[in-house]
Amino acid sequence: MTTIFCAIDTPDLPKALMLAKSLYGTGVSLKLGLEFFTACGADGVRAVQAVTERPIFLDLKLHDIPHTVAATLRVLRGLSVGYVTVHTSGGLAMLQAAQDAVEGDLKLLGVTVLTSLREADLSDIGWQDDSQAVVKRLAGLAHTAGLYGVVCSGLEASMLRDVYPGLKRVVPGIRPTGSDHGDQQRVLTPQDAVAAGADYLVIGRPITQAADPRAAAVDAVTNLQLPS
Ligand code: C5P
């Protein structure tokens, strides 16, 4: 069963709470990211937790030395969120330290290649392989470290389903047909991403910037025939 996370990307706590309340009961879960956390901190996360019935995805994309990432995750245990992201390009030792630091129900997700990057951007960074090969290699590190899942684009999801079937696939860069791509490059429609093997979809602006975010969330759930 696929789960949809709505990316609540705002520095404004009242706005985040309004969005969270409007999505209550739709079957859509909430993702809070760097912008929200930088502005509103742990208290902001607790405030949003109070208005959702579902585990929160805290998308901090941690990327630092193993000691620092592990120490940060130990602090985050106090927040009782459901999912946290770390960058797989932090390397195997960092991913293992991160996984060792989590307890209870907290699930670690490894970001592979950001969905905003095109093939040309990969070579600028110094990655000579194409995105399929880079994602496969980075997902291998997540698999070895025992992470719950990886974040990838829909274009790599079916390859990862074959190579690492035990790793959950979280897919951002979701754009319903006809919607604005914004800064996303490696995009798929919700239906195509699910068909490609996405276990979780991350949908931000197509819901949060819709004239009626609740209706957009209900549409996404209905179109994929998910339970609310
Ligand atoms: O749908 P929209 O592009 O607005 O949502 C993008 C969200 O997904 C943002 O919160 C972004 O941080 C997150 N994300 C991403 N690409 C990744 C990982 C997370 O776009 N590889």
Side-chain angles (χ1 to χ4, degrees):
M1 183 66 65
T2 309
T3 298
I4 297 176
F5 281 104
C6 178
I8 309 282
D9 290 328
T10 172
D12 181 343
L13 182 59
K15 189 172 172 197
L17 289 172
M18 201 176 70
L19 270 167
K21 286 177 189 164
S22 76
L23 299 180
Y24 189 91
T26 58
V28 168
S29 302
L30 308 179
K31 182 177 89 70
L32 300 173
L34 278 173
E35 184 183 1
F36 177 84
F37 195 72
T38 303
C40 307
D43 285 343
V45 176
R46 289 189 194 93
V48 175
Q49 264 169 336
V51 297
T52 178
E53 75 283 33
R54 295 170 171 269
I56 288 203
F57 177 174
L58 188 57
D59 188 13
L60 295 183
K61 296 191 178 66
L62 302 175
H63 191 172
D64 209 316
I65 61 172
H67 176 82
T68 301
V69 169
T72 303
L73 283 163
R74 284 195 290 275
V75 174
L76 285 175
R77 281 182 200 164
L79 264 181
S80 307
V81 293
Y83 308 82
V84 174
T85 41
V86 294
H87 268 285
T88 52
S89 51
L92 184 58
M94 187 205 92
L95 296 174
Q96 283 169 332
Q99 187 59 42
D100 287 347
V102 301
E103 267 183 353
D105 291 337
L106 178 60
K107 296 175 173 64
L108 267 192
L109 302 170
V111 178
T112 57
V113 175
L114 295 171
T115 43
S116 54
L117 297 177
R118 293 163 301 161
E119 298 298 331
D121 300 316
L122 302 192
S123 70
D124 287 349
I125 296 169
W127 288 339
Q128 299 310 329
D129 294 333
D130 64 16
S131 56
Q132 294 280 326
V134 177
V135 168
K136 183 174 167 183
R137 200 167 56 237
L138 293 172
L141 300 181
H143 171 75
T144 304
L147 266 58
Y148 177 76
V150 288
V151 184
C152 60
S153 92
L155 304 175
E156 295 102 31
S158 66
M159 175 273 292
L160 289 182
R161 180 174 52 188
D162 293 341
V163 182
Y164 299 111
L167 269 184
K168 300 288 184 193
R169 295 159 298 274
V170 180
V171 176
I174 300 297
R175 289 294 180 268
T177 309
S179 67
D180 184 6
H181 285 198
D183 53 357
Q184 296 285 14
Q185 301 289 344
R186 295 178 6 262
V187 300
L188 240 56
T189 66
Q191 289 79 2
D192 288 347
V194 171
D199 298 289
Y200 299 85
L201 302 182
V202 173
I203 309 180
R205 287 160 287 184
I207 292 177
T208 58
Q209 293 185 6
D212 182 346
R214 184 180 177 85
V218 169
D219 269 0
V221 167
T222 311
N223 290 338
L224 293 174
Q225 298 175 331
L226 303 177
S228 58

